[in-house]
Amino acid sequence: MAEAALQFDEVNVGDTAPEFSHTLTRTDLVAYAGASGDFNPMHTDEVAAQAAGLPSVFGHGMFTAGLLAKAVTDYVGVGNLANLKVRFTKQTWPDEVLTTKVVVTDKREEDGRRLVDLEVEVANGDGEVKVAGTAVALAD
Amino acid sequence: MTETEELDLESWIGRPTGAGVVHVERAVVTNFAKSVLDDRPLYRDRDAAVAAGFDDIPAPPTFYFSALQNYSRWAEEQPPDPTGGVNPMAEVMGRLIATGGLILHGEQEFTYHRPVVVGDRLEYTGVVKDLYQKQAGERTMTFLVVETTYTDGDGQPVVTSTMNLLHRS
């Protein structure tokens, strides 16, 4: 059960997936809160966030991770992801332009499976990294 | 007494954080994919999912962290609470945040053993894998690692989700 996977023989270290860019809005965060069930007011309630000393609401880390997962599965095919591991390094803020980066770092055969290792991240327009990590995809 | 002694870090490792049964439901999956701006037809159109090789609409990669836990536990099917009413996550982080500071989601990892699709019924158990502290200048960082394993009806692992939650004093 999976979409078409990367072709192992055609993938090379250094290959990159198409970038996905998005300007973060408060509506994104309210929609993500509803869809995920994470209603922490620091993400959805500007009044509460400012009362807590923040300049505004900030994004759910898992929203940014979701954008990254979309970029990864657009590249490796839905159903071919074996592992995704991310660190949340900085908060995201409304009006920031978030851009994904997915790079092939290795390809290997293990236990009869063909695997492609990826380095993955999301950064803003100034290059400040918000989410960074690795992914492993199954290839054909 | 230091914070570490009060917490007795080792005593929490290995303790259950919860257990349950979840159903992968179509509207929840489709709405979640939309919320992370994934507009692929296979997340909203069963015919597109079948054409892509799935038995039904698949769950997106980050679906397991919150949506599945928050919306997909049918109350009448849940097993007894294995924590004895003392959830280590609430207890440890609750004690720390009572002293001030901030709780942050530090890391998240998913290992996928097979695709999950709408209609799947999964069982899960959570356990504290690690609890440790580091000094960062004046601040104490406390890391709580919780591993949640989802299995199918045959007891085979389907997805493993590992969360690293941190408290910064």
Side-chain angles (χ1 to χ4, degrees):
Chain A
M1 282 200 291
E3 287 189 317
L6 289 171
Q7 294 298 304
F8 191 76
D9 293 335
E10 293 171 15
V11 173
N12 293 301
V13 172
D15 284 358
T16 57
E19 289 182 349
F20 175 68
S21 271
H22 177 73
T23 304
L24 186 65
T25 70
R26 289 171 176 77
T27 303
D28 292 331
L29 301 180
V30 173
Y32 184 79
S36 69
D38 180 348
F39 287 95
N40 183 333
M42 295 303 106
H43 303 309
T44 53
D45 183 338
E46 190 91 355
V47 175
Q50 291 184 347
L54 296 165
S56 73
V57 290
F58 64 94
H60 304 77
M62 287 304 294
F63 172 79
T64 311
L67 299 186
L68 185 56
K70 168 197 154 47
V72 173
T73 48
D74 278 354
Y75 184 54
V76 306
V78 174
N80 299 312
L81 203 55
N83 181 270
L84 177 67
K85 183 176 186 178
V86 293
R87 293 186 310 282
F88 302 101
T89 50
K90 291 281 179 186
Q91 287 158 302
T92 59
W93 303 96
D95 302 324
E96 283 190 306
V97 179
L98 302 175
T99 301
T100 64
K101 186 173 161 190
V102 176
V103 185
V104 174
T105 56
D106 197 10
K107 60 178 191 176
R108 58 199 162 92
E109 295 192 50
E110 192 180 286
D111 302 331
R113 299 192 305 174
R114 294 173 147 189
L115 303 174
V116 174
D117 292 311
L118 303 158
E119 197 169 274
V120 301
E121 70 168 48
V122 176
N124 72 4
D126 297 327
E128 182 183 73
V129 176
K130 305 293 190 178
V131 174
T134 56
V136 182
L138 304 171
D140 277 335
Chain B
M1 201 186 286
T2 69
E3 241 174 46
T4 308
E5 283 163 345
E6 283 173 25
L7 265 177
D8 188 9
L9 299 172
E10 297 227 336
S11 73
W12 294 97
I13 298 169
R15 287 176 60 162
T17 59
V21 173
V22 286
H23 288 264
V24 181
E25 297 179 282
R26 177 165 173 169
V28 180
V29 168
T30 296
N31 191 40
F32 184 83
K34 187 179 175 195
S35 80
V36 291
L37 313 180
D38 198 326
D39 58 3
R40 289 191 158 223
L42 89 173
Y43 289 128
R44 58 189 138 85
D45 178 342
R46 187 173 184 277
D47 292 343
V50 170
F54 293 94
D55 291 343
D56 209 312
I57 290 175
T62 61
F63 180 68
Y64 311 93
F65 180 73
S66 52
L68 191 58
Q69 287 286 329
N70 289 327
Y71 292 133
S72 306
R73 288 187 295 189
W74 298 354
E76 72 278 13
E77 290 196 8
Q78 300 312 306
D81 179 4
T83 68
V86 184
N87 185 317
M89 270 195 281
E91 193 72 19
V92 170
M93 286 297 158
R95 279 195 214 172
L96 290 168
I97 201 70
T99 67
L102 196 61
I103 294 171
L104 297 164
H105 190 184
E107 293 182 8
Q108 181 65 39
E109 178 174 11
F110 301 101
T111 299
Y112 308 98
H113 307 285
R114 71 151 171 88
V116 170
V117 298
V118 165
D120 281 350
R121 175 189 183 277
L122 305 175
E123 297 181 7
Y124 71 87
T125 54
V127 64
V128 175
K129 291 296 282 188
D130 206 356
L131 178 64
Y132 58 96
Q133 291 184 316
K134 284 184 188 171
Q135 278 304 128
E138 298 287 289
R139 285 177 164 153
T140 302
M141 315 274 277
T142 305
F143 297 85
L144 175 65
V145 182
V146 175
E147 183 181 274
T148 305
T149 304
Y150 294 88
T151 54
D152 62 19
D154 299 326
Q156 295 299 311
V158 176
V159 174
T160 308
S161 170
T162 308
M163 171 180 72
N164 194 329
L165 206 59
L166 73 98
H167 173 265
R168 195 179 74 190
S169 68

